Amino acid sequence: MYKYKILYKLTHANGELVDESLDTSLDFELGDGQLDPCLESCVKEAKVGKLQTFLLGASEAFGPAYDEAIQVMCRADFSKELDIKINNGVEFKTPTGDSYAGRIDKIDGDNVTVNFNHPLAGCDVAFQVEVLEKSETSQ
């Protein structure tokens, strides 16, 4: 297993910024959940000390957007404290303790449309990364 120290920039294929580390490096270990697996695979391919850009199609990045992941829910299904507004994030817990995050896409009276797709599902992205350090972890 490896630990990495990287600088990165993630954009939509059209150049719109999604996330970046700027001047503060991200320190992570493969599989620790800080980076999506599709971005981890780019880091594994990158050469230390070289700025590289990986262009990822939607299918190899965050996957397609699924219609089934868009749910119309009743406003009463939400806690009273929740600010129900377009683009606000929401999180639901299942009886087994799993969490599902979504984004409010539409409000129509008592009907609230929640999109549970990854925010980048269906999008082509560019991932620019510079690996500053790579070290093997002891297991």
Side-chain angles (χ1 to χ4, degrees):
M1 199 59 88
Y2 288 94
K3 280 186 174 180
Y4 290 89
K5 181 180 282 201
I6 65 170
L7 294 174
Y8 71 92
K9 183 176 180 178
L10 180 64
T11 61
H12 284 273
N14 67 9
E16 181 185 340
L17 181 66
V18 175
D19 190 21
E20 67 181 333
S21 64
L22 295 172
D23 296 329
T24 305
S25 65
L26 172 67
D27 298 356
F28 74 99
E29 188 173 322
L30 288 178
D32 71 3
Q34 291 189 69
L35 276 184
D36 193 272
C38 67
L39 302 180
E40 281 189 356
S41 66
C42 296
V43 171
K44 288 193 298 190
E45 288 182 38
K47 293 177 175 50
V48 176
K50 183 178 179 188
L51 182 63
Q52 293 177 265
T53 301
F54 296 87
L55 303 176
L56 304 172
S59 63
E60 58 189 348
F62 298 92
Y66 295 103
D67 290 340
E68 306 84 51
I70 299 171
Q71 302 291 316
V72 177
M73 304 174 74
C74 182
R75 187 181 289 263
D77 293 336
F78 298 86
S79 75
K80 302 264 188 250
E81 296 82 38
L82 183 66
D83 189 17
I84 299 176
K85 289 185 181 172
I86 301 290
N87 289 325
N88 272 10
V90 293
E91 185 175 351
F92 294 93
K93 296 251 188 236
T94 67
T96 61
D98 294 330
S99 292
Y100 288 94
R103 181 186 70 245
I104 298 174
D105 278 355
K106 182 178 173 186
I107 302 168
D108 185 15
D110 284 336
N111 293 323
V112 179
T113 303
V114 180
N115 187 338
F116 290 98
N117 282 297
H118 186 284
L120 293 173
C123 298
D124 297 341
V125 297
F127 182 58
Q128 187 176 60
V129 63
E130 181 179 1
V131 177
L132 304 173
E133 292 177 22
K134 175 182 177 181
S135 59
E136 197 163 355
T137 60
S138 56
Q139 299 232 357

